[in-house]
Structures are given as structure tokens and as C-alpha cells.
Amino acid sequence: MGEPDDLSFVQTLVNCSQLSVLECGSNRFGGSLPRFLGNLSTEITVIDFQQNKITGTIPTELFNLINLQRLGLLDNELTGHLPLEIENLSKLEVFSCSNNHLIGDIPYSLGNLSRLSGLYMHNNSFEGAIPSSIGECTYLLYLSLSENNLSGPVSSHLFHASMLSELYLDQNHLQGVFPVEICQLRNLVVLDITRNAFSGKVPSSLASCIDLLELQMGENFFTGSIPQSFQYLTSIQHLNLSHNRLSGQIPDFLSNFSLLGLDVSFNNLEGEVPRRGVFTNISAVTTLGNKKLCGGIPEIHLPKCSTNTTLARGSKRRGRLSVAVTLIIAVASLVVGVSIISAIYFLMCIRNKKNKLSQGSLLNLKEPFSKVSYNMLLKATDRFSEANLIGAGGFGSVYKGVLDPENSMVVAIKVISLEQKGARKSFMAECEALKNIRHRNLLKIVTACSSTDFQGNDFKALIYEFMPNGNLRQWIHIEQHTKPLSLLQRLKIAIDVACALDYLHNSCDVPIIHCDLKPSNILLDSDMVAHVGDFGLATFHSDARTYNSNSVAVKGTIGYAAPEYGLGSVVSKEGDMYSYGILLIEMMSTIYSTNRMFEGDLDLHKYAKSALSDQLTEIIDPKLFDDNVVASSGSQYVALARYDCYVKCVWSVIDIGVKCSVESPQDRMRIEDTIRGLKITQEMFLKELSVVEAMHF
């Protein structure tokens, strides 16, 4: 093999009119790609020549095969340009030409490949800018442009490809400020921009990409501090900020993450290194090259912190307070005079304002939204300070605020990021969905604001009832709570969410489809009652058919969105049921639906279905047993009986989750049957558990 005429045999296939797949990968074929490839049957959908020794250029005739869905040319020795004629392959879903010697610009026409889901072009010699047109590939999940000679800034238009899950731009010559519009990639799991020339601050908007597992930003020219907003990247496992020009302290919140690797080496960081979490694992953390760091565990051999350094985190705040006190004293005489006048005016206004806030805050959501002003929200959140930031999502940031100081009216204020594509539509969708619905398990909207800020820019915000116990995702995935959710609590939450879904689907005048049901959208009040929130993607059932195959962005989150949505199907009640089924499985297993173990055809549904038959204990969240079973008193027989009781209950819940998330929409469990099944499971669990506990006496 490896001869110039190795591919001559392909000519014998020209007359095969029904040929649909040509797999020639992982051989040692040499020679060049023959031009007569273009004479193969136009019915062909897959051509694979990867991992050979093919040389020469890519023949333009190859792109006559207009029904190609997958074209694999990676791991060869191809040279020359990528022909512009690639735009003819309008049905192409996956294209790979990585690990070759291709040169020139990346064709702008790639943006016309509207069905493209995977584009792999790394390790070539492509140059010039990244075509912004790639952002038009709304189905794109994987984009790899690493190890080329690409240069210039990254266009924010690239992030219009909002389905992107993995983005690799490392080892190029890209430069400029990295676009804050990265927050539009709500499904992003991996971002690698290592070894470029990006400058400016690390974009705090990255905190909106809450599913990030891997963030690689090393060897650039980033300045400023590590953003406080990164505290919401709670899924992160690998974080590399090394070889930049970052300053300030290492945030203590990184100690709370389940990091497997953290590299902040060779920056200008200072202060004390935390001593908890990942910072106790010297093989997982690298802090070299930061001359002003101190403390940490003894094994990292940093100098001891002085008393002033140790107290630095608190002293900065006290320093600011001291300055404020000094200023207050300096102007006290003026304030006294002004305050007397202000107090009189305030007392005159407070009566009217009190009525507006206490009676008018239950919003009749019709434009214009005039119940609260921008200035009121600015004051309620201390000028939208990071200290009051409690969450970040695809279309905005959420702040805790006190809207009515006299009555201590604590609310959650979702400020819409209007510069993001689809944000205005999301705002209106949420208003429409929530204005006429009331249910104990739906997040209560208090009011809304549609106004302008002090610079005259449009400003929109939604004000919700504050949920003091955060969201479900924090409870099942993040080790920040001293006591994990018990099985009974999870069962109750599952029933709460199902009741909310039943109300939306069956009790509204016009059924509402949520479209984005997932743990981060399930909020918990002070009594741990679940409330379904974030209706930014919701649609009325009567409007569902208006969402065609071009409306990918409104169909939910990868891992939770129904598989038929990816094929262009309209949103449906059955789509919500799929999301709910995945939610149930995740609640019992704490396995992310986007876990890297799920490759190829394997997903959380199939994994759980397989576990039901013979390995259920391997999928169950072990924290369900820690306090309730293992540590319980009683005989070994009682302990085994209690354990069996728990396993049977979890098996039943996961079984319902599997039945809700089957591939065929018409075969999925109905919400009414789901509620009935969960309540029966709850009753049986309590009954059997009471019998087991009676064995003590």
C-alpha cells in the first residue's frame, strides 16, 4: 500500500447507482483523490478517506456529490486550498480535514452549510480571519480550528451558533479583546483559546456558560483579576489561566468546585493561596511564577503570609468602609441640612409609593411595564453590584434586591442582556407565558420593567419572588450544602415539578410548553417547595408549529432537549416530558446529562435503562444512603431491609424517568400517569419504611 494508484479501484464503483456509503478509512492508501469521485452516484451520503497517506489537492469534482452528509479527510497529507465549491454540499452535517497541510483562507461560504453539526479543521496551515459566517450554522455543535495560522479578532457573530458545545481555537495568532458575546453559548462544555494573543480582561460573561467543564485560556495577554462571576461556573473541572498578566487574589470560591486541574501559574497574582478543596491536591494545582503569592498548604512551598496579607481579603472591604466613614464625617454638616428637607419630601411621597409597591406589584403584564423604574432597581441592587449577583443565564444576569426597603421586600431581579440575539424575544415570551398563570409550583413574577438607563439605552428586567434555597442544580451537583437532599425531598421536588408541568400542559386556557426544563430552572423556597422558572423559551401550544427547523435556538438545552428537536420537529408537550424524564434520572443519580462518558449513541436515558436491569446501585447517588441507611442504628437485618426499601424507591423513580424519555414521542409517559406513578412510589416507600422502622421495637 501507499502507491500512487491505490485509489484506482474506486472507478469501478461509478456505475453503482445505489451506492450510499464509501468507507475507505484507516488503510494505508497512497496517491491522490481521483477526479472521477465526482462521477459516483449522487445518492452517496458518506465518504470516508481518513487515516491514510493520500497526497495532492482536494478535487473540486468531489463537491458534485450534493447529498453528502459526512465527509472525512482527516489524517492524510493533503495540500492546497479548501475549494470554495464546498458550499454545494448543502446537506453536509460533518466535515473533517484535520491533520493535513491545507493552506489559505477558510472559505466564507462554509456559513451556507446550514445543517453542519461538526467542523474539524485543526492542525493545518489555514490563515486569515475566522469567517463570521460560521455563526450562521445554527446546528453546529463542535468547531475545532486549533493549530493553524489564523489571525485577527474573533467576530462576535461567530457566537450566533448558539448550539456550540465544544469550541477549540487554540494555537493560532488570534488577537484583540475576546468577545463578551461568548455568553450566548448556553450549551458550551469546552472552550480552548490557549496560545493566542488575546488581551484585555477575562470576560465575566463566561459565567453564563454554566455547563462549562473545561476552560483553557492560558498563554495569552489577559489582564485584570479572575472574575468574581466565575463563582457560577460550578461544573468546571479543568481551568487554565496560566501565562497571562492576571493580578489580584486567587478567589476562595474555587475551593468549592470539584476541580481536577487548576493552572494559574506565571501571572501577577498575589495574596494567600486557599487551603481547601482542590488546593489540598498539589498534583492538581499549579501556582508557579506568581512571586507575590503566599500561604497555602506546606507542600507547595510558598512563603508564609504576613498578618497584613492574611487579613487582606477582609481589610480591603474595611478599607473601603473607612474611606466612606471619613467622607461621611466630612460632609456631615451639609447632610444634616439636606436630610431635613429630604425627610419631609420622603414622608409625602412614601404613602403613594407604598400603595404602588404593595398593591400594584402583582403585575398585569402589558406594555408599557411601568410598575418599577430603572432607578429603583439600581438602588435595590446597590447599583447591580457583584455582591448581589446570584446567578447568570443565557439571556441575562440575576440579582438579589430589596425593592421596598420599608417592608423588606426581597426579590430576584433578572436583567435582560438585550445585546444578545433572541433576548428581546425571550423577555416577551416570558411575560406572555407568566401574565395569566398562577400555580404554587411556578416561580411567581412580581412585576417587570421596560425602561431606559441613564444613558438612554433600552433596559428590561423581570422581578420575581426570591427563592432563598437557590436552584435544584446547586443541591444535587455542588458540594456546598452541609446536608444533601434526602430521597423523600427529591421525591417531593419531582412531584412538585410534575404538578407544575401538568398545570402548564392541561390546565391553562392555552397549553404552554416550557421548552427548557432542567435542574437550574427549578427554584426552591424556604420550605424546599419546588418552583419551575425561566420561561424565556416557552411557547403556547397553538403557536408550536411556527417553530420550524430554523428555530433551533428556542428548543432548549443539549442533554435535556428532546432528540426530535434536533431533526427539525416542532416543540411539543412530549418534548417537555423527555426533559422531565432526564431530570428525574439526574436527580437520582447526580450524573450530568452532558457527561463526557456519553459518546456516540450512548446518553443518560440509555445508560439508566441499562442500569435498571442489573447494575442500578452503580448509578444511584451514594449520598442518598449516607445519613439515612448506612449510619442508621438497628440490626444488620433492619439495615438491609432499609437499604432495600431505598433501592426499590429509586428504581421506581428512574424507571419512570426512562419511560418519560424514550426516543419515540408518542411512546413517552403522559404527565398525568407520571404524577400518579410518583405518588404511588412515595406512598409505598413511606409505608415500607414505617414497617422497617417498626422492627426496632
Side-chain angles (χ1 to χ4, degrees):
M1 293 295 180
E3 300 298 324
D5 61 347
D6 280 345
L7 297 178
S8 60
F9 74 92
V10 178
Q11 191 164 12
T12 63
L13 304 175
V14 168
N15 294 325
C16 299
S17 60
Q18 300 300 312
L19 183 66
S20 61
V21 176
L22 178 59
E23 293 271 8
C24 297
S26 302
N27 289 288
R28 297 178 63 84
F29 291 139
S32 58
L33 293 173
R35 295 186 180 278
F36 54 71
L37 279 172
N39 297 328
L40 292 173
S41 169
T42 54
E43 298 298 314
I44 197 164
T45 59
V46 176
I47 289 182
D48 183 5
F49 283 111
Q50 65 180 349
Q51 295 179 332
N52 283 291
K53 293 188 173 183
I54 300 172
T55 59
T57 60
I58 302 173
T60 58
E61 289 81 0
L62 179 60
F63 303 115
N64 293 337
L65 306 176
I66 58 174
N67 287 310
L68 270 183
Q69 297 175 12
R70 182 160 61 89
L71 177 58
L73 303 176
L74 73 158
D75 289 335
N76 281 289
E77 299 174 15
L78 296 169
T79 57
H81 294 72
L82 178 60
L84 301 177
E85 287 79 1
I86 192 173
E87 66 178 325
N88 297 336
L89 304 183
S90 60
K91 297 182 180 180
L92 195 63
E93 297 176 1
V94 178
F95 174 60
S96 176
C97 62
S98 302
N99 301 328
N100 280 288
H101 309 293
L102 300 174
I103 62 172
D105 293 343
I106 296 175
Y108 193 85
S109 57
L110 280 176
N112 296 331
L113 305 182
S114 60
R115 298 189 181 185
L116 203 62
S117 64
L119 182 58
Y120 306 89
M121 305 179 72
H122 56 269
N123 195 17
N124 280 286
S125 296
F126 289 115
E127 57 191 35
I130 299 173
S132 60
S133 62
I134 294 177
E136 299 302 319
C137 300
T138 52
Y139 283 96
L140 195 61
L141 299 176
Y142 307 99
L143 176 60
S144 180
L145 302 176
S146 306
E147 299 179 68
N148 280 289
N149 295 318
L150 300 171
S151 59
V154 173
S155 169
S156 61
H157 196 82
L158 179 66
F159 305 131
H160 287 185
S162 58
M163 296 285 285
L164 267 174
S165 174
E166 297 186 21
L167 176 59
Y168 300 91
L169 304 178
D170 53 292
Q171 300 182 64
N172 281 287
H173 308 293
L174 301 169
Q175 59 191 51
V177 176
F178 196 76
V180 296
E181 289 80 3
I182 185 69
C183 61
Q184 296 174 190
L185 305 186
R186 304 175 67 198
N187 301 309
L188 197 63
V189 175
V190 178
L191 174 64
D192 192 344
I193 57 173
T194 308
R195 296 187 189 176
N196 280 287
F198 291 114
S199 57
K201 293 186 177 181
V202 175
S204 59
S205 59
L206 269 166
S208 296
C209 306
I210 58 175
D211 291 324
L212 264 177
L213 297 178
E214 186 172 333
L215 179 57
Q216 305 283 349
M217 305 183 77
E219 298 183 55
N220 282 284
F221 301 103
F222 287 114
T223 57
S225 59
I226 299 173
Q228 284 296 310
S229 62
F230 273 24
Q231 64 186 294
Y232 300 108
L233 296 179
T234 50
S235 301
I236 201 81
Q237 295 180 357
H238 297 276
L239 177 60
N240 181 1
L241 299 171
S242 65
H243 294 272
N244 280 287
R245 299 172 180 176
L246 299 176
S247 56
Q249 296 182 317
I250 298 176
D252 189 62
F253 60 74
L254 293 174
S255 304
N256 300 325
F257 295 172
S258 300
L259 283 165
L260 302 178
L262 173 65
D263 190 350
V264 293
S265 60
F266 297 97
N267 280 287
N268 299 316
L269 299 171
E270 60 185 77
E272 185 175 13
V273 175
R275 295 170 175 263
R276 301 182 297 111
V278 69
F279 295 98
T280 63
N281 184 355
I282 60 172
S283 63
V285 178
T286 305
T287 60
L288 296 172
N290 292 281
K291 297 180 180 179
K292 296 182 180 180
L293 286 179
C294 61
I297 60 174
E299 289 81 358
I300 61 176
H301 304 296
L302 288 175
K304 291 184 178 180
C305 296
S306 65
T307 303
N308 291 336
T309 304
T310 305
L311 299 176
R313 297 180 190 270
S315 64
K316 283 188 177 182
R317 183 176 297 174
R318 290 194 297 272
R320 288 194 295 267
L321 181 61
S322 176
V323 171
V325 170
T326 303
L327 289 173
I328 290 171
I329 293 172
V331 299
S333 58
L334 291 175
V335 171
V336 169
V338 173
S339 62
I340 294 173
I341 299 172
S342 300
I344 296 172
Y345 177 76
F346 178 77
L347 289 172
M348 293 173 63
C349 294
I350 194 65
R351 294 178 182 175
N352 293 331
K353 182 181 287 188
K354 188 173 181 180
N355 288 334
K356 288 181 180 179
L357 287 172
S358 61
Q359 298 175 10
S361 58
L362 289 179
L363 179 64
N364 177 21
L365 284 169
K366 294 181 180 179
E367 290 275 19
F369 308 119
S370 57
K371 297 297 179 181
V372 295
S373 67
Y374 169 78
N375 189 40
M376 291 171 67
L377 298 183
L378 195 69
K379 293 178 179 178
T381 59
D382 191 18
R383 307 187 68 83
F384 303 112
S385 69
E386 281 203 354
N388 287 320
L389 185 66
I390 57 175
F395 291 122
S397 301
V398 183
Y399 297 86
K400 181 181 179 180
V402 181
L403 194 57
D404 182 2
E406 183 179 344
N407 296 320
S408 298
M409 184 182 180
V410 182
V411 293
I413 301 167
K414 180 179 180 181
V415 179
I416 309 299
S417 300
L418 295 176
E419 71 278 2
Q420 296 184 31
K421 183 179 179 181
R424 293 176 187 272
K425 183 176 181 180
S426 172
F427 175 75
M428 292 308 301
E430 195 147 8
C431 290
E432 283 297 315
L434 293 174
K435 69 179 181 180
N436 291 320
I437 58 176
R438 292 289 184 273
H439 190 275
R440 70 183 295 271
N441 297 124
L442 294 179
L443 185 61
K444 179 182 176 183
I445 187 168
V446 177
T447 187
C449 176
S450 182
S451 182
T452 57
D453 62 19
F454 294 151
Q455 286 75 45
N457 302 311
D458 282 350
F459 176 85
K460 295 186 187 296
L462 294 164
I463 296 88
Y464 299 97
E465 183 179 4
F466 180 68
M467 294 285 112
N469 274 316
N471 64 59
L472 178 60
R473 180 176 177 273
Q474 294 169 327
W475 280 88
I476 61 178
H477 287 300
I478 304 170
E479 302 291 344
Q480 66 179 39
H481 301 286
T482 56
K483 188 175 182 180
L485 289 175
S486 69
L487 181 52
L488 272 176
Q489 284 178 311
R490 298 185 204 204
L491 258 175
K492 183 178 179 297
I493 290 169
I495 293 172
D496 285 345
V497 176
C499 289
L501 213 52
D502 181 42
Y503 172 80
L504 293 173
H505 288 180
N506 300 317
S507 299
C508 294
D509 292 336
V510 179
I512 294 174
I513 304 166
H514 188 276
C515 296
D516 200 19
L517 200 64
K518 58 184 178 181
S520 58
N521 288 340
I522 311 299
L523 289 303
L524 302 170
D525 66 17
S526 56
D527 297 319
M528 297 302 286
V529 174
H531 301 255
V532 176
D534 198 341
F535 284 77
L537 301 183
T539 183
F540 293 99
H541 190 263
S542 58
D543 298 332
R545 294 199 173 275
T546 64
Y547 292 102
N548 55 30
S549 60
N550 292 323
S551 302
V552 179
V554 302
K555 292 185 178 180
T557 302
I558 289 178
Y560 304 94
E564 65 268 19
Y565 289 178
L567 302 175
S569 297
V570 297
V571 296
S572 64
K573 296 179 183 179
E574 291 75 22
D576 274 356
M577 289 309 299
Y578 178 89
S579 304
Y580 180 72
I582 296 300
L583 175 71
L584 283 183
I585 299 170
E586 190 171 344
M587 285 178 66
M588 295 296 121
S589 67
T590 66
I591 297 175
Y592 281 106
S593 59
T594 54
N595 193 294
R596 282 193 166 186
M597 67 187 289
F598 302 132
E599 297 180 352
D601 293 333
L602 184 63
D603 56 23
L604 184 56
H605 164 83
K606 293 177 181 176
Y607 183 67
K609 183 179 180 180
S610 175
L612 284 174
S613 59
D614 58 359
Q615 51 186 12
L616 182 65
T617 54
E618 295 182 14
I619 194 176
I620 298 176
D621 177 14
K623 293 191 294 294
L624 284 173
F625 303 125
D626 288 348
D627 296 328
N628 302 296
V629 180
V630 178
S632 297
S633 60
S635 67
Q636 184 178 3
Y637 176 78
V638 172
L640 288 173
R642 187 183 294 109
Y643 179 83
D644 184 61
C645 182
Y646 272 73
V647 171
K648 284 170 63 178
C649 179
V650 175
W651 187 96
S652 180
V653 175
I654 292 179
D655 182 56
I656 291 172
V658 168
K659 290 176 179 176
C660 288
S661 56
V662 296
E663 185 172 357
S664 174
Q666 60 267 27
D667 293 334
R668 290 173 195 154
M669 222 172 162
R670 297 186 310 162
I671 190 63
E672 305 95 309
D673 298 329
T674 299
I675 294 174
R676 189 179 305 111
L678 288 172
K679 287 186 175 179
I680 291 173
T681 298
Q682 184 184 46
E683 291 171 5
M684 292 298 296
F685 175 67
L686 289 172
K687 183 177 179 180
E688 293 183 15
L689 192 61
S690 64
V691 172
V692 171
E693 297 302 331
M695 295 178 183
H696 284 298
F697 306 101

